[in-house]
């Protein structure tokens, strides 16, 4: 417990340290050969944004933008890892979702989801498609309104459930895991149980 508290203190100290932030930014060199260093920086960004009370969005904008720039469907591993990190951040608290929405990130990932959904036979977009599903699944745990705001995602999950016997094992597993995640909040259950809802939860 003490170690965890000390880690939090160290992280909060780094967040306030302009020199440390500048050093992190200097490590964000593009290119596959530098991806390991970049993702260590992204891990710092993720950890900082997961802290309760984090509100340094303007100071962290260059770091956040750098993480978002990794969401590139042409980079199989980088895109998937970045989406996992962003899902963690978004699902941690509503303030992070509000920030992501204000900069257009949610729509960007939604557009990526719809694009990859149409080309799931391609290796790179196939992985991006799965990563987007995970992103919106975890997003819904903090913002149940996302099920209504991003209907193509919600419809896709329900369609997969109705036709689970046609899915490959990986997609089938992901579908039911996502459904379990997105329906665990009271808000989501109310929305999906509403008689006017396009989707049915019995």
């Amino acid at each position: 417990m003490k170690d965890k508290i000390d880690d939090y203190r160290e992280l909060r100290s780094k967040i306030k340290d302009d020199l440390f932030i500048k050093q992190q930014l200097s490590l964000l060199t593009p290119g596959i050969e530098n991806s390991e260093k970049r993702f260590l920086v992204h891990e710092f960004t993720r950890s900082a944004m997961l802290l309760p009370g984090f509100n340094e969005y303007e100071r962290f904008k260059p770091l956040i933008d750098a993480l978002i720039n990794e969401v590139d469907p042409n980079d199989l591993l980088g895109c998937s890892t970045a989406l996992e990190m962003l899902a963690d951040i978004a699902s941690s608290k509503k303030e992070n979702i509000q920030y992501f929405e204000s900069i257009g990130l949610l729509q960007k990932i939604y557009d990526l989801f719809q694009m990859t959904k149409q080309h799931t036979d391609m290796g790179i977009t196939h992985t991006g498609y799965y990563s987007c599903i995970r992103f919106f699944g975890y997003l819904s745990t903090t913002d149940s309104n996302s099920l209504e705001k991003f209907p193509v995602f919600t419809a896709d999950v329900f369609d997969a459930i109705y036709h689970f016997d046609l899915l490959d094992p990986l997609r089938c597993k992901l579908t039911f895991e996502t459904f379990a995640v997105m329906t665990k909040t009271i808000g989501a259950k109310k929305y999906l149980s509403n008689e006017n809802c396009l989707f049915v939860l019995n």
Side-chain angles (χ1 to χ4, degrees):
M1 182 66 177
K2 182 180 181 300
D3 290 342
K4 192 172 184 179
I5 292 174
D6 289 342
D7 288 343
Y8 279 161
R9 285 175 177 168
E10 182 181 0
L11 181 56
R12 290 184 185 280
S13 176
K14 288 178 178 178
I15 290 172
K16 300 293 185 182
D17 187 338
D18 289 337
L19 179 59
F20 180 80
I21 298 296
K22 188 175 181 179
Q23 290 172 339
Q24 296 303 293
L25 290 171
S26 71
L27 297 174
L28 295 173
T29 308
I32 295 177
E33 66 278 7
N34 296 308
S35 61
E36 185 175 351
K37 289 182 180 179
R38 287 202 313 277
F39 273 93
L40 287 174
V41 176
H42 299 330
E43 178 56 34
F44 164 69
T45 303
R46 185 192 74 88
S47 298
M49 295 184 74
L50 291 179
L51 283 175
F54 174 86
N55 60 2
E56 300 280 356
Y57 296 106
E58 287 306 312
R59 287 188 70 246
F60 265 62
K61 189 177 187 305
L63 291 171
I64 297 170
D65 288 348
L67 173 55
I68 292 171
N69 287 339
E70 302 285 357
V71 181
D72 178 359
N74 294 312
D75 179 356
L76 177 64
L77 182 59
C79 180
S80 178
T81 305
L83 283 170
E84 293 285 351
M85 288 182 162
L86 291 167
D88 282 347
I89 295 169
S91 63
S92 66
K93 56 187 177 183
K94 287 188 176 181
E95 290 83 358
N96 287 340
I97 294 175
Q98 290 167 354
Y99 177 75
F100 284 161
E101 191 162 28
S102 73
I103 62 174
L105 176 62
L106 301 187
Q107 187 61 49
K108 175 181 178 178
I109 297 177
Y110 191 50
D111 292 342
L112 175 63
F113 167 72
Q114 294 182 85
M115 184 273 287
T116 56
K117 176 179 166 61
Q118 296 173 4
H119 302 284
T120 53
D121 57 324
M122 297 170 61
I124 291 177
T125 53
H126 187 274
T127 301
Y129 173 60
Y130 282 13
S131 297
C132 288
I133 290 175
R134 291 191 187 92
F135 176 86
F136 284 108
Y138 282 101
L139 176 68
S140 68
T141 63
T142 306
D143 181 14
S144 58
N145 291 331
S146 64
L147 299 179
E148 184 174 8
K149 285 189 289 189
F150 304 107
V152 177
F153 157 73
T154 310
D156 186 78
V157 174
F158 273 83
D159 183 65
I161 288 173
Y162 294 146
H163 302 95
F164 73 92
D165 54 323
L166 303 177
L167 304 177
D168 64 75
L170 181 60
R171 177 65 207 281
C172 189
K173 181 175 182 290
L174 175 62
T175 294
F176 284 100
E177 286 178 347
T178 303
F179 183 75
V181 167
M182 64 186 260
T183 58
K184 72 178 185 179
T185 65
I186 294 175
K189 289 175 181 176
K190 284 183 177 179
Y191 168 67
L192 294 171
S193 299
N194 189 302
E195 61 180 12
N196 295 320
C197 180
L198 296 174
F199 315 101
V200 180
L201 179 62
N202 293 321

